[in-house]
Amino acid sequence: MATTARIFGNKRVGFGQWVIYALIGIAGLFYGTPLAWLFLAGTRSGSSLDSDPPFTFGSFEQMAQSWANLASFNDFQILNWALNSLIYSVGGVTLSLIACIPAGYALATSDFPGRRVILILTLVAMITPSQSIVLPIFLEMNLIGLNNTYLGLILATGFFPFGVYLAYIHFSDSPPKGVLDSARIDGCSRYQLFTHIALPLARPIVSLVAFFSFLANWSNYYLAVVLLSDDKIYNLPVGLTALVSGSGALTNLAATGMPIKKPEVILAAILVILPVLVVFLIAQRFVRSGMLSGAEKG
Amino acid sequence: MAKVELKGVAKSFGAVRVLDPIDLCVEPGEFVAFVGPSGSGKSTLLRMIAGLESVSEGDVLIGGEEVTFAEPSERGTAMVFQSYALYPHMNVYDNIAFNLRLAKRPKSEIDAQVREAARTLRLEDLLERSPAQLSGGQRQRVAIGRAIVRHPKVFLFDEPLSNLDAALRVQMRLEIARLHREIGATMIYVTHDQVEAMTLADRIVALDDGAIQQTGAPLDLYARPSNRFVAGFIGSPKMNFIPAEVIDGTRAGVGLRLHAGDGTSFGLGALKSAKAGPVSVGVRPEAIRLHIAGGTPPAGTLEIPARVDSVERLGNVTYTYIDVGSDELLTVQSGGDVQLKSGDQALAAIQPESFHVFDAAGKTILSASAAPART
């Protein structure tokens, strides 16, 4: 196919490429539709949501109105939750980075007793659904009195075996062995090897672990709903869920008189996913950049 | 400048012995090349001297000091790697300065050292560049600069030129030779390229199969290889081997019959005695003359009928590959051009004095006594 395309000039696209583009198009449409709907729906009024076709664009005035209703509710409580979410996320990401990156490095570069066991346990912890250990975590936090505190949730989310595994994979072949050898001869201690050589070259993996950790923390609902009972320290997912279910916006019960209706609920959903998109756009630049070019041959 | 002594140094990975006990003494200021094919253990041996690989048995001494278990940085060695192994997140200046900074030297001293090394290696204009912006040859010069500023007692080179293209390799080879002349430090150089070993080293250590096969000056190894491995490894193009047989030991010297041509047999006066049985005979490509049938050869010359298989003309030198009916084609090196083409019949003339003879186990039982004739 490719040769036919070349014979007729570069503008002709071969059959194989058509298939690829078609598949990409279908997949994009299939998985992109709900997202597109969500962002469009954020501009629509309640009546428009009920009666107009699904992909109608409302108006930015309507969006601003919904936002005002959502944000000002209960003395701007939603901003408080957003701030809480930020605290939990920054705390969780920081803690997991401090733990994961050195742990992955140690597992990948040194041989110590119990290394294999720790690796296997990491994998086991990674595939264990977090929901299944929510109750023990709750009991543990209760025991040490950290239930319903910022620190409690941050400590619990600092446990991030997936990050350890990612870091382990990264450090298994980076930096190249020769670079580490050369640094050892130059006089680096084991600790300096990490701080002077491995860590500065690990920006892609630090970004990646931070991104996944942020993703998990920002949208953390289940653990948060179990550990947090005071609505002042709710994070966004827990707060919004409480708000939405309290308002009856998504049920057909009689209206509660709260200004939280379908448009506000949709905006709340956008509010949760938007920061994730932004963080991804920032992080991917670092994740993709070739940090190692020039170290060895090439 | 320091002496490097290896006393019974051996290496095993688990039950697998990769390096037999090795005794070797590298004199202060000497340039020694470890040469051998891949898997011969030469790099492992170097890494044990550097401290990057643990020593299973024996002792390593540098400058008379026992360093078998010392950290790599405590041994006073510097190493240049095949892969350059530059620090990609640092520019050239920082790469060279890294060691001095770790050693917490004063800033002014670091600067002076780095600039001096840069001058020696002609890197002055590249100090701000990152390794990614350098060519292979420049990267290797940075790696050497990083080694120089340490003022090491011993320089270790692990196949430093293998990643460079042919022209650059020749140039860097000359630079390394110049470096050795100028700073006179002890240098140990690992290579699989016998040309590098021959041209650079004061002394070559030929390794194969985890053991030293022979140690000596480059031309000694060339003229008097102690076994078939060294004979075949040192010299380019490599030595020709012809299977042969000891037929009797009664006349002056020993009679040999070549498994080539029509079973040419001849007597070797220099070989006093040998057990009857299979041997192999080695002859350097430049010790064979080719001429077209007819004419009288000088007395004592062996003539083996041969068919020309192919001819490679390089201008100053010509390699002719001839079939004399033995297992492999023989390589003949002649100066200038030869008037032969593929398929021609010719006679391969060899002085019996230029034969090396190896026993069935590959050990040398006779080295060539005649210097290869000039063309």
Side-chain angles (χ1 to χ4, degrees):
Chain A
M1 292 303 159
T3 46
T4 345
R6 219 166 287 136
I7 289 166
F8 291 102
N10 289 332
K11 292 211 174 88
R12 277 277 295 253
V13 179
F15 176 71
Q17 274 167 308
W18 275 116
V19 172
I20 291 169
Y21 286 132
L23 282 176
I24 292 173
I26 291 167
L29 210 60
F30 186 81
Y31 295 107
T33 301
L35 270 179
W37 178 85
L38 180 68
F39 283 106
L40 280 176
T43 65
R44 294 159 67 184
S45 65
S47 58
S48 162
L49 283 168
D50 284 338
S51 49
D52 288 340
F55 288 98
T56 313
F57 179 77
S59 68
F60 287 113
E61 290 77 38
Q62 174 59 45
M63 195 178 184
Q65 178 59 45
S66 308
W67 170 246
N69 288 343
L70 180 68
S72 60
F73 179 73
N74 208 2
D75 203 14
F76 293 94
Q77 195 172 26
I78 188 168
L79 295 183
N80 185 24
W81 291 335
L83 188 67
N84 286 344
S85 265
L86 196 67
I87 294 172
Y88 291 127
S89 298
V90 169
V93 167
T94 310
L95 195 58
S96 55
L97 283 181
I98 291 174
C100 293
I101 303 296
Y105 177 76
L107 285 170
T109 56
S110 29
D111 209 0
F112 50 89
R115 174 178 165 273
R116 268 186 67 84
V117 176
I118 293 176
L119 259 181
I120 291 167
L121 284 179
T122 303
L123 281 172
V124 170
M126 206 172 94
I127 55 174
T128 307
S130 57
Q131 287 85 344
S132 62
I133 53 166
V134 157
L135 190 63
I137 290 177
F138 173 80
L139 293 172
E140 186 180 46
M141 291 300 169
N142 218 10
L143 195 71
I144 55 176
L146 287 178
N147 240 346
N148 208 22
T149 61
Y150 286 110
L151 187 60
L153 185 58
I154 290 174
L155 274 180
T157 54
F159 179 72
F160 193 46
F162 181 51
V164 174
Y165 188 69
L166 281 178
Y168 163 73
I169 297 283
H170 172 85
F171 287 121
S172 292
D173 59 1
S174 171
K177 192 105 182 43
V179 174
L180 289 177
D181 282 345
S182 149
R184 281 177 68 195
I185 291 186
D186 262 340
C188 276
S189 65
R190 288 159 75 101
Y191 177 71
Q192 285 171 321
L193 275 185
F194 179 68
T195 55
H196 285 46
I197 307 291
L199 195 56
L201 291 171
R203 223 160 63 181
I205 199 63
V206 171
S207 310
L208 199 63
V209 172
F211 173 68
F212 280 119
S213 169
F214 175 81
L215 196 65
N217 284 312
W218 185 261
S219 55
N220 186 0
Y221 172 74
Y222 199 69
L223 187 59
V225 84
V226 171
L227 289 186
L228 309 176
S229 49
D230 180 351
D231 69 350
K232 286 196 189 59
I233 64 166
Y234 276 179
N235 64 3
L236 265 185
V238 174
L240 289 173
T241 311
L243 180 62
V244 168
S245 60
S247 70
L250 294 184
T251 57
N252 287 325
L253 298 174
T256 52
M258 289 161 79
I260 304 298
K261 302 275 185 305
K262 280 178 193 164
E264 286 76 22
V265 172
I266 288 164
L267 266 190
I270 294 176
L271 188 63
V272 174
I273 67 167
L274 212 53
V276 176
L277 285 179
V278 171
V279 168
F280 173 71
L281 287 177
I282 297 170
Q284 59 127 9
R285 263 185 46 225
F286 298 114
V287 172
R288 288 185 316 175
S289 64
M291 290 291 295
L292 279 172
S293 53
E296 301 210 317
K297 60 188 149 185
Chain B
M1 258 202 255
K3 189 168 168 175
V4 177
E5 290 163 277
L6 305 179
K7 293 182 177 165
V9 168
K11 176 76 182 173
S12 314
F13 291 109
V16 185
R17 172 55 64 93
V18 293
L19 214 50
D20 291 335
I22 278 173
D23 291 293
L24 183 71
C25 184
V26 179
E27 298 300 329
E30 196 180 15
F31 195 126
V32 167
F34 292 173
V35 62
S38 50
S40 58
K42 58 190 189 301
S43 277
T44 309
L45 187 58
L46 189 78
R47 292 172 61 85
M48 290 200 294
I49 297 172
L52 295 171
E53 204 82 63
S54 64
V55 175
S56 308
E57 287 166 39
D59 299 311
V60 179
L61 282 82
I62 296 177
E65 235 174 283
E66 150 93 49
V67 293
T68 316
F69 299 103
E71 282 292 312
S73 56
E74 295 165 354
R75 299 185 178 212
T77 59
M79 188 155 165
V80 175
F81 295 83
Q82 175 181 5
S83 60
Y84 320 136
L86 300 182
Y87 310 124
H89 55 302
M90 301 179 194
N91 65 19
V92 170
Y93 186 99
D94 294 337
N95 259 283
I96 299 177
F98 185 61
N99 159 262
L100 301 170
R101 288 197 179 131
L102 282 178
K104 300 210 163 44
R105 300 282 186 76
K107 252 204 166 86
S108 57
E109 187 199 325
I110 294 176
D111 193 65
Q113 296 260 16
V114 172
R115 298 207 178 270
E116 198 203 317
R119 203 163 34 248
T120 312
L121 294 161
R122 298 195 300 280
L123 289 168
E124 288 126 310
D125 300 335
L126 305 174
L127 287 174
E128 300 305 316
R129 301 254 190 107
S130 85
Q133 296 167 304
L134 302 180
S135 70
Q138 290 168 337
R139 284 180 203 177
Q140 201 53 291
R141 290 218 298 272
V142 175
I144 293 173
R146 213 166 49 171
I148 291 178
V149 293
R150 294 172 55 87
H151 292 297
K153 296 184 207 157
V154 183
F155 277 85
L156 306 173
F157 294 91
D158 191 1
E159 307 218 14
L161 308 184
S162 301
N163 284 351
L164 304 178
D165 63 49
L168 211 49
R169 208 176 301 159
V170 174
Q171 189 196 328
M172 286 301 293
R173 204 165 73 202
L174 292 172
E175 289 202 28
I176 291 174
R178 178 173 63 93
L179 188 71
H180 183 238
R181 269 199 315 276
E182 281 174 12
I183 60 181
T186 311
M187 294 188 174
I188 303 179
Y189 188 106
V190 161
T191 178
H192 65 265
D193 181 352
Q194 57 94 23
V195 177
E196 281 172 25
M198 295 285 285
T199 51
L200 285 169
D202 299 321
R203 198 151 57 103
I204 291 180
V205 176
L207 285 138
D208 188 39
D209 220 6
I212 293 182
Q213 302 295 324
Q214 191 173 359
T215 306
L219 289 179
D220 273 350
L221 264 63
Y222 184 82
R224 282 175 294 280
S226 67
N227 58 36
R228 206 184 134 145
F229 166 78
V230 177
F233 201 83
I234 303 289
S236 170
K238 73 193 272 292
M239 184 185 281
N240 297 299
F241 295 104
I242 309 169
E245 208 165 342
V246 173
I247 41 177
D248 66 70
T250 52
R251 38 179 154 165
V254 169
L256 286 177
R257 180 189 292 122
L258 295 180
H259 292 233
D262 46 10
T264 312
S265 63
F266 58 97
L268 267 181
L271 193 56
K272 293 304 173 220
S273 67
K275 266 201 295 220
V279 293
S280 62
V281 161
V283 57
R284 296 275 178 203
E286 66 271 24
I288 308 177
R289 296 274 150 279
L290 280 178
H291 58 92
I292 301 161
T296 8
T301 306
L302 274 185
E303 290 205 317
I304 308 171
R307 194 182 56 79
V308 175
D309 185 86
S310 51
V311 185
E312 288 179 346
R313 295 184 168 84
L314 305 183
N316 60 337
V317 62
T318 301
Y319 300 124
T320 313
Y321 301 91
I322 56 169
D323 184 355
V324 293
S326 72
D327 302 349
E328 287 166 27
L329 296 178
L330 304 189
T331 309
V332 180
Q333 178 184 327
S334 5
D337 197 5
V338 294
Q339 302 305 317
L340 286 168
K341 59 181 189 304
S342 177
D344 281 357
Q345 293 295 330
L347 287 172
I350 306 168
Q351 300 292 333
E353 294 77 42
S354 60
F355 279 128
H356 300 256
V357 183
F358 308 97
D359 68 13
K363 221 175 125 39
T364 302
I365 46 182
L366 178 71
S367 286
S369 51
R374 301 244 151 236
T375 34

